[in-house]
Amino acid sequence: MSYQPIQLTDDQIASFEENGFLVIEKLIDSELVALLKSRIEPLFHGEFETGIYPDEWHWRPGMSLPDITRQMCNAWKSDRAIASVSLSSEVGRLCATLAGWPGARIGQDSLWFKPPGGGKEIALHQDGAYIDYLNPPEMLTCWIALDNTRAEIGPLEYARGSHKWPLLNEASEFHVPQGDHRSGMQKAAALAGVSNPEVVPVEIPAGGCAIHHGCTWHGSGKNTSTSDPRRSLAVHTISSEAHFQPGVPAGYIYGRYQRVGEVRMDESFFPILWTRQGYRSPHLAHYCRNALSPAVAVTG
């Protein structure tokens, strides 16, 4: 069965603009969910289909504590099954539509594995605090659940309406936070004059997604289940017209992809997923399938 594109309604767009996030009950089907989950364990054990390492690899077998929440950034460079969703035109279209951009490119993806038996919290944070080297410094994230999410396994949490608060430009380590994993958000809420911020857990079936604004505070609690992991794939998109800020360091990871004397973002490393004019980085057609395309089946 071919993928059927999601047509966002005016009410959904208005909800996103008001709340800072939008939950979609189904984005990918069960067979594609199973395929993505089957790639997680090999990837974290260093089995990279393409021979290329991801840009970030948090958790190593035999080296890291077993209860640490695992994260891998830009797994699309290492595995074509992951790439088929991370680089899909549909994710780009949905994000660009909600953001009001002319198109979307990938900034990075994040593959997550929160183990059962106490998988650690991820501190609530704003993605926008990490992208001041971009112009425009805007990001939308499509977070895709690969397991049925419920309170017990530490689901994604949003602070409703927090994208309207000032950006708290204090990018800090959010793995294994000390104390309350919501403390940074609470500080930002107080500065914004919000005394009792509403925290919304994202409890959706596997294959569903939540798309959030780059200034929306989000994170997750501990996985207290004794048997069930919480796995997910997040695709962080930026405008197709985004470029590097002149004179602003892009950091030790993404700065390596900036050409000397240029501000443009190389499509080899930041491919364009979709534009209103129908453009998509041409090399993607040869690199991986476009899993969320109405032209292809997503069952194998």
Side-chain angles (χ1 to χ4, degrees), residues 64-85:
S64 304
L65 295 172
D67 61 349
I68 297 297
T69 294
R70 309 174 191 180
Q71 182 194 19
M72 184 171 285
C73 295
N74 282 336
W76 70 263
K77 297 179 180 179
S78 308
D79 188 274
R80 289 181 174 84
I82 301 297
S84 73
V85 175

Side-chain angles (χ1 to χ4, degrees), residues 10-21 97-98 161 163-164:
D10 291 342
D11 285 346
Q12 286 176 309
I13 294 172
S15 176
F16 174 81
E17 292 173 350
E18 176 65 22
N19 297 313
F21 62 90
T97 301
L98 288 171
H163 64 304
K164 299 177 182 179

Side-chain angles (χ1 to χ4, degrees), residues 194-208:
V194 177
S195 59
N196 188 27
E198 180 184 359
V199 176
V200 181
V202 179
E203 298 186 30
I204 53 175

Side-chain angles (χ1 to χ4, degrees), residues 36-37 39-58 70-87 106-113 146 232-236 253-254 257 269 271 287-288:
L36 297 182
K37 287 199 294 189
R39 302 305 307 140
I40 293 176
E41 197 68 22
L43 279 165
F44 278 104
H45 282 77
E47 297 178 22
F48 304 134
E49 175 201 359
T50 65
I52 296 175
Y53 275 48
D55 283 303
E56 298 182 60
W57 181 6
H58 301 285
R70 309 174 191 180
Q71 182 194 19
M72 184 171 285
C73 295
N74 282 336
W76 70 263
K77 297 179 180 179
S78 308
D79 188 274
R80 289 181 174 84
I82 301 297
S84 73
V85 175
S86 293
L87 304 180
I106 191 169
Q108 70 172 56
D109 67 21
S110 294
L111 191 63
W112 294 94
F113 181 102
L146 300 180
S232 60
L233 173 64
V235 185
H236 306 282
I253 295 175
Y254 297 101
Y257 302 122
F269 309 112
Y287 180 66
C288 64

Side-chain angles (χ1 to χ4, degrees), residues 114-119 148 150-155 221-230:
K114 184 176 289 190
N148 297 327
R150 61 189 192 279
E152 185 183 18
I153 67 171
K222 184 177 294 186
N223 183 354
T224 60
S225 168
T226 58
S227 57
D228 299 330
R230 197 218 73 183

Side-chain angles (χ1 to χ4, degrees), residues 25-262:
E25 289 289 316
K26 183 175 181 180
L27 177 68
I28 63 177
D29 69 16
S30 59
E31 294 191 38
L32 186 50
V33 167
L35 175 63
L36 297 182
K37 287 199 294 189
S38 74
R39 302 305 307 140
I40 293 176
E41 197 68 22
L43 279 165
F44 278 104
H45 282 77
E47 297 178 22
F48 304 134
E49 175 201 359
T50 65
I52 296 175
Y53 275 48
D55 283 303
E56 298 182 60
W57 181 6
H58 301 285
W59 191 88
R60 305 292 178 96
M63 297 173 60
S64 304
L65 295 172
D67 61 349
I68 297 297
T69 294
R70 309 174 191 180
Q71 182 194 19
M72 184 171 285
C73 295
N74 282 336
W76 70 263
K77 297 179 180 179
S78 308
D79 188 274
R80 289 181 174 84
I82 301 297
S84 73
V85 175
S86 293
L87 304 180
S88 66
S89 56
E90 179 75 337
V91 168
R93 181 183 69 85
L94 290 171
C95 290
T97 301
L98 288 171
W101 298 330
R105 66 168 82 216
I106 191 169
Q108 70 172 56
D109 67 21
S110 294
L111 191 63
W112 294 94
F113 181 102
K114 184 176 289 190
K120 297 297 187 182
E121 303 94 330
I122 297 297
L124 268 68
H125 60 282
Q126 295 170 294
D127 294 332
Y130 299 86
I131 56 170
D132 60 346
Y133 59 87
L134 294 180
N135 184 17
E138 299 171 357
M139 177 179 285
L140 257 70
T141 297
C142 179
W143 181 89
I144 304 168
L146 300 180
D147 293 291
N148 297 327
T149 61
R150 61 189 192 279
E152 185 183 18
I153 67 171
L156 184 67
E157 302 174 353
Y158 290 130
R160 191 189 301 276
S162 57
H163 64 304
K164 299 177 182 179
W165 308 347
L167 181 67
L168 188 63
N169 196 15
E170 295 182 5
S172 60
E173 182 60 50
F174 53 81
H175 287 277
V176 198
Q178 300 299 312
D180 185 356
H181 71 288
R182 297 178 180 174
S183 60
M185 180 274 292
Q186 296 284 0
K187 176 181 177 181
L191 292 173
V194 177
S195 59
N196 188 27
E198 180 184 359
V199 176
V200 181
V202 179
E203 298 186 30
I204 53 175
C209 75
I211 302 175
H212 65 258
H213 190 284
C215 289
T216 299
W217 282 86
H218 63 286
S220 61
K222 184 177 294 186
N223 183 354
T224 60
S225 168
T226 58
S227 57
D228 299 330
R230 197 218 73 183
R231 292 161 288 194
S232 60
L233 173 64
V235 185
H236 306 282
T237 65
I238 56 180
S239 171
S240 56
E241 296 186 345
H243 56 269
F244 291 107
Q245 288 270 26
V248 179
Y252 77 99
I253 295 175
Y254 297 101
R256 70 178 66 141
Y257 302 122
Q258 183 174 7
R259 294 177 177 273
V260 175
E262 294 187 17

